[in-house]
Structure formats: structure tokens, C-alpha cells
């Protein structure tokens, strides 16, 4: 049984949304039709964007929760993390193992979460993905109050927290269907930035609540366990609100179908994998360092704990994710003006310099320089996230024009195919890029275990960033290649 509901509250042949009563499915959705969009389509799209951002923000919050929790678990009586504040190599390695596990699981879930939207609908899957956040949250709240809980149980809980990382892909895929071509960039930018901010708010809120718990009870293991429990349970009402909001107000689009052919073409296109490597350097660094930053500060500057309430700010670790989130839209904006490839090249060069400054700060034992250098690194990762995403549609568009010209194909049809392939490539690139966060943390862990220093890992990062700068120049800025391989790249702002 169906009902016809007009976008404006009145029925009209060109602006009606046809719903199934059960499931809130939209059977007619044409955002590129100006009349349709202005007569209520925009309002519906913005409504779905609002609740999508809310749910995705919480997904990131739960995804990154272990980055902060591990810094207090040693004091809470868990021996496998004892001595983290004094730089104990075993404790540091265990902490990085716990923080990297959700990164890997979240990256792996990004691909199936992308395909889930056409299969189950944006509304139903947003409800499901938000409700799933209760599992790692309530599980951690329970087991952290069992002092004898072995590390493998927390590894399972950390893996379950990875569901929050998958939310990004399902959320982006869903919102992509709601907006017209000319507004997709802004909508997806808002959606992505809103999610990324979840990292910063977790790293700000959790230390505050943990400190509150230790002030309510004595600063002994029981007090820290109480503080961790409070810091985890504080998200439960918001998770329930996100699930209810999606259930009550979001919609699903029946014409949102997956395009298997586009995914196959994207997977066989070399540019998908080149851009995936570049995205490992930008987003992989953002998410990897976001997870590891609280542990790195505590391990390298343990005396900060003596300052007192500055520790309630997570030793200022939240600032990294905060500036990285806000700089992402700027990266897309400046890439529109200058060109995504040029900005990406500059970003990787700057990231290598930032790593050198971090190493200098450690040598000088200067926390102010260490913080400034890391904030610069986070800003650059945010800018790079925006510039690399700006490059993807331009690259696929240029290739489609070249192919159409060589084979006498219709340019309009080729342009549509390029958009589908670019969308498919973004899903793959996003998953590979997120896995870079796991690789980064594993490099830190192995360097710390084998050399009792993270310096080798950091210098390896600096070298990798310079290699990625070279890859960017080779494929997208070298004029002879651009003219020969993809003619329009010589003129487009890639």
C-alpha cells in the first residue's frame, strides 16, 4: 500500500514523493530537477543529511574511543598496560595494538557498508549501524569493571568498536543519492567533517569524564574504572537518540541501486590504486595519528600528568583531530582554485617537514614544539583529505572524455559513466586509506618493540610522504605524461 506525499504538503505531478507507509521509501527522487529540488526536495535532503551527520559523528566517536581509554587502563589495574606513562615498551606496544585494531576492522567494513545502502535502504541501515554502537560501548563498560579481564577480551571489544569506522562509507553513500550534482561536494564535505569531528570530541570529553570519576572516588584502580565506565556510558543516550532519529525522520530511496559494472571498472583502473596510495598518506595518517596521539603524548611526556587538570584535556590530544577536521573542507575549497594535485604535492612535502619537527621536539624534549609540529601535521592531513577527494572525479572525467573521443562515444553517456566509476572508486579508496591508519600504528608498535624507540617509524613516515609527493607529480603534474595519457588533465585542475 502506498501514499503520495507532496514535498510542500500539496500534491503536484513533478514534485511528489511517493512513500511506502512501512519503511519510508521514496519512489520518486529527482534532485537534479530544479522544480523538484526547490519544491521540497532540498528540505528532505537536508533533513536526511542532519541525521546522517549525527549518526556518523557518533560512529567516529565510538571508533576512536580506545585511543583515549587505553591511557587510563594501566591505572585502573590492568597489568598489560601498567607503566604506559613511564614509556614501558610492553605497555606502549599493547596500547598501540588495542588502538590499531578498531582502525583495521573499520577499514574492512567500509566496503560492505557501502553496498548495504542500496540493499537495505539508508534509513534502515542508519538505524542498524547506530544501534550497533551499543555493543562495544556496553561491553567495555561491563568488562572494565572486571579487574581480572584478560587482554584478548578487550581486543575483541576494540574490534567491535570498528563498526563505527564503517559508518563513514554507508553514510557517505546514502547522502550521495540525496543531493544534485552541483551540491554533492558541499553535502559530502559537511557529512565527512561532521564525522571527523567525532574524533576530537571523544578525545576532549573522555579525559574530562574519567578525571571526574577519579575525583568522585579515590584516585585508585577502582576510581579509574569508575571514571572509564562513566566516560563510555555517556555516549549511550546519544546513540539511542541517533537510532530513534533515523528511524523516525530519515528516508530511503528506492532508485538508489548499486552499480556492479562501475565497481569492476574502477577496480581495474590504475588511478583507483594510485589515489588509494595517496589517501593512505592523508586520511590514513589522520586517523592513525588520531588514535595514537594520546598514547604518544603520555609515553613521551609523562611529566604532563603532574600538571593536574591539564590532563582533563587529554593532554591536548583532541586538538589534533579538531584542526584536521576543520582543515578538510578548506583543502577541497583551495583545490578548486589551485588544483587538487598541486595541493596534494605541497601537503606531502609539508608532512615530511612536520615529521622532522616532531623528531627535533623529542630530541629537545620540548612539548610545545612537539604539539605545534603535530598540529601542523594534522592540519596538512585534513587539507590533503580534501585535495585528494577533489582529484578523484576530475581524473575519471578526464579519462572518460579521452576514451569517448578515441572511440566516438556519446560524451553525455561517458560523463555519467565517469561519475559512477568515480563514486565506486571513492568507496575503494576510502577503505584502503583507512587501513593506512592501522599500518601507521603497527609501524609505531614494531619500532617501539624492536628498537625501544619510535624514531625509525617516524623517519620511515617522512620518507613515505616524500615518495607519495613524487607519485603525485609523476602521475598528475608531469606535463608530458598528462598530455600523452589523458589530454584533458593538462588543462583541468586535477
Amino acid at each position: 500500500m502506498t501514499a503520495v506525499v507532496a514535498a510542500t504538503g500539496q500534491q503536484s505531478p513533478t514534485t511528489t514523493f511517493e512513500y511506502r507507509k512501512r519503511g519510508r521509501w521514496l519512489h520518486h527522487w529527482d534532485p537534479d530537477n530544479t522544480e523538484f529540488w526547490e519544491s521540497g526536495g532540498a528540505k528532505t535532503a537536508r533533513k536526511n543529511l542532519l541525521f546522517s551527520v549525527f549518526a556518523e559523528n557518533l560512529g567516529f566517536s565510538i571508533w576512536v574511543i580506545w585511543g583515549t581509554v587505553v591511557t587510563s587502563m594501566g591505572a585502573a589495574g590492568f597489568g598489560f598496560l601498567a607503566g604506559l606513562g613511564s614509556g614501558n615498551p610492553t605497555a606502549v606496544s599493547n596500547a598501540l595494538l588495542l588502538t590499531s585494531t578498531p582502525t583495521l576492522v573499520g577499514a574492512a567494513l567500509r566496503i560492505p557498508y557501502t553496498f548495504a545502502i542500496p540493499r537495505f535502504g539508508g534509513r534502515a541501515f542508519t538505524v542498524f549501524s547506530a544501534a550497533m554502537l551499543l555493543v562495544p560501548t556496553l561491553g567495555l563498560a561491563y568488562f572494565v569493571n572486571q579487574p581480572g579481564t584478560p587482554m584478548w577480551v578487550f581486543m575483541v571489544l576494540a574490534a567491535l568498536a570498528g563498526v563505527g569506522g564503517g559508518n563513514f562509507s554507508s553514510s557517505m553513500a546514502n547522502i550521495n543519492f540525496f543531493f544534485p550534482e552541483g551540491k554533492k561536494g558541499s553535502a559530502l564535505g559537511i557529512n565527512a567533517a561532521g564525522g571527523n569531528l567525532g574524533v576530537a570530541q571523544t578525545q576532549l570529553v573522555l579525559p574530562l569524564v574519567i578525571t571526574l570519576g577519579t575525583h568522585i572516588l579515590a584516585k585508585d584502580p577502582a576510581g579509574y574504572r569508575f571514571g572509564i565506565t562513566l566516560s563510555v556510558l555517556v555516549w549511550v543516550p546519544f546513540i539511542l537518540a541517533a537510532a530513534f532519529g533515523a528511524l523516525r525522520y530519515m528516508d530511503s530511496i528506492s532508485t538508489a541501486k548499486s552499480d556492479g559494472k562501475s565497481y569492476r571498472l574502477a577496480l581495474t583502473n590504475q588511478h583507483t590504486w594510485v589515489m588509494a596510495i595517496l589517501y593512505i598518506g592523508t586520511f590514513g595518517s589522520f586517523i592513525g595519528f588520531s588514535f595514537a596521539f594520546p598514547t604518544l603524548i603520555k609515553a613521551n611526556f609523562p611529566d604532563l600528568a603532574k600538571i593536574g587538570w591539564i590532563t582533563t584535556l587529554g593532554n591536548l590530544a583532541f586538538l589534533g583531530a579538531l584542526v584536521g577536521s576543520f582543515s578538510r573542507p578548506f583543502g577541497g575549497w583551495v583545490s578548486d582554485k589551485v588544483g587538487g594535485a598541486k595541493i596534494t604535492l605541497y601537503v606531502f612535502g609539508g608532512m615530511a617537514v612536520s615529521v622532522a619537527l616532531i623528531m627535533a621536539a623529542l630530541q629537545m624534549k620540548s612539548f610545545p614544539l612537539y604539539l605545534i609540529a603535530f598540529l601542523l601535521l594534522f592540519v596538512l592531513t585534513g587539507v590533503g583529505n580534501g585535495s585528494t577527494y577533489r582529484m578523484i572525479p576530475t581524473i575519471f572525467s578526464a579519462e572518460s572524455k579521452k576514451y569517448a573521443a578515441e572511440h566516438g562515444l556519446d560524451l553525455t553517456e561517458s560523463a555519467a559513466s565517469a561519475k559512477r566509476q568515480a563514486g565506486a572508486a571513492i568507496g575503494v579508496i576510502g577503505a584502503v586509506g583507512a587501513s593506512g591508519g592501522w599500518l601507521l600504528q603497527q609501524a609505531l608498535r614494531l619500532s617501539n618493540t624492536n628498537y625501544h624507540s619510535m624514531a625509525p617509524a617516524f623517519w620511515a613516515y617522512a620518507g613515505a610522504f616524500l615518495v607519495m609527493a613524487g607519485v603525485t607529480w609523476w602521475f598528475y603534474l608531469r606535463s608530458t605524461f598528462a598530455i600523452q595519457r589523458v589530454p584533458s588533465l593538462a588543462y583541468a585542475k586535477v
Side-chain angles (χ1 to χ4, degrees):
M1 186 174 182
T2 60
V4 178
V5 183
T8 59
Q10 299 178 349
Q11 295 187 12
S12 164
T14 59
T15 62
T16 57
F17 305 158
E18 187 183 347
Y19 284 104
R20 289 179 191 167
K21 284 189 174 180
R22 297 184 62 184
R24 294 183 62 90
W25 284 88
L26 298 171
H27 294 299
H28 173 67
W29 187 256
D30 186 16
D32 288 300
N33 181 311
T34 303
E35 183 182 357
F36 177 93
W37 182 252
E38 294 178 352
S39 299
K43 182 178 180 181
T44 298
R46 285 194 291 266
K47 176 194 66 175
N48 280 273
L49 175 62
L50 174 64
F51 287 98
S52 175
V53 168
F54 184 28
E56 188 199 348
N57 176 275
L58 290 169
F60 268 82
S61 296
I62 302 305
W63 191 25
V64 78
I65 203 169
W66 281 91
T68 300
V69 165
V70 294
T71 63
S72 298
M73 287 182 67
F78 296 97
F80 51 84
L81 288 173
L84 178 62
S86 59
N88 177 5
T90 301
V92 173
S93 294
N94 287 338
L96 290 171
L97 192 59
L98 284 167
T99 60
S100 64
T101 297
T103 314
L104 182 63
V105 175
L109 287 176
R110 285 190 165 198
I111 292 178
Y113 267 51
T114 299
F115 284 101
I117 294 300
R119 176 66 180 84
F120 302 104
R123 169 180 173 269
F125 198 76
T126 302
V127 173
F128 167 79
S129 61
M132 275 295 294
L133 300 175
L134 292 171
V135 178
T137 305
L138 296 177
L140 177 56
Y142 174 78
F143 283 105
V144 81
N145 285 290
Q146 314 300 317
T149 302
M151 182 175 168
W152 71 264
V153 174
F154 290 113
M155 284 287 292
V156 172
L157 292 171
L160 289 171
V163 299
N167 284 15
F168 176 84
S169 286
S170 59
S171 180
M172 295 288 276
N174 184 42
I175 292 304
N176 182 61
F177 289 115
F178 274 97
F179 284 81
E181 289 299 327
K183 298 182 183 296
K184 285 184 189 290
S186 298
L188 293 175
I190 292 171
N191 203 50
N196 290 354
L197 281 172
V199 180
Q201 70 190 27
T202 293
Q203 292 180 342
L204 173 62
V205 171
L206 257 67
L208 284 167
V209 180
I210 291 172
T211 302
L212 174 64
T214 62
H215 280 69
I216 294 175
L217 298 181
K219 287 187 177 181
D220 56 17
Y224 278 96
R225 289 195 294 272
F226 178 66
I228 293 173
T229 303
L230 285 180
S231 72
V232 173
L233 293 180
V234 73
W235 302 108
V236 172
F238 296 101
I239 293 172
L240 293 174
F244 174 78
L247 180 68
R248 178 66 180 83
Y249 297 106
M250 289 188 73
D251 308 295
S252 298
I253 300 175
S254 61
T255 54
K257 301 297 182 183
S258 59
D259 187 352
K261 180 181 178 181
S262 293
Y263 272 91
R264 288 192 296 272
L265 290 173
L267 288 172
T268 58
N269 191 311
Q270 68 166 343
H271 293 292
T272 298
W273 302 107
V274 172
M275 292 305 302
I277 291 172
L278 300 184
Y279 204 53
I280 286 175
T282 56
F283 183 76
S285 296
F286 170 79
I287 201 66
F289 280 124
S290 292
F291 274 81
F293 200 25
T295 296
L296 294 177
I297 291 177
K298 186 163 187 176
N300 290 313
F301 296 93
D303 289 342
L304 284 178
K306 301 175 182 178
I307 297 177
W309 274 86
I310 191 173
T311 58
T312 65
L313 296 180
N315 294 333
L316 305 179
F318 80 97
L319 288 175
L322 183 69
V323 297
S325 300
F326 277 113
S327 63
R328 180 168 185 156
F330 174 76
W333 176 81
V334 73
S335 294
D336 285 336
K337 307 295 183 182
V338 179
K342 287 183 180 180
I343 297 301
T344 301
L345 177 69
Y346 300 150
V347 160
F348 283 128
M351 289 171 69
V353 172
S354 299
V355 170
L357 290 174
I358 290 169
M359 299 312 299
L362 288 174
Q363 189 69 27
M364 298 165 57
K365 300 186 183 303
S366 170
F367 178 71
L369 178 59
Y370 184 80
L371 180 63
I372 291 171
F374 249 116
L375 292 183
L376 175 60
L377 180 63
F378 274 109
V379 168
L380 290 170
T381 62
V383 173
N385 288 337
S387 64
T388 49
Y389 255 56
R390 172 64 178 83
M391 292 169 66
I392 296 168
T394 307
I395 291 168
F396 278 86
S397 176
E399 282 218 310
S400 72
K401 290 177 182 178
K402 175 180 180 291
Y403 187 83
E406 291 176 348
H407 295 80
L409 301 178
D410 181 71
L411 289 177
T412 302
E413 183 178 339
S414 295
S417 175
K419 291 177 183 178
R420 292 194 296 269
Q421 289 183 54
I426 285 174
V428 176
I429 292 166
V432 175
S435 70
W438 179 82
L439 292 172
L440 182 148
Q441 292 178 81
Q442 290 305 303
L444 286 173
R445 187 178 69 85
L446 293 173
S447 178
N448 180 74
T449 300
N450 296 323
Y451 301 102
H452 301 291
S453 169
M454 297 183 192
F458 274 100
W459 286 121
Y461 300 152
F465 295 148
L466 292 176
V467 169
M468 291 175 184
V471 169
T472 304
W473 174 81
W474 180 269
F475 282 97
Y476 304 119
L477 291 172
R478 194 164 55 106
S479 59
T480 55
F481 177 85
I483 293 171
Q484 180 181 0
R485 178 81 173 95
V486 186
S488 54
L489 287 183
Y491 308 103
K493 292 180 178 179
V494 180

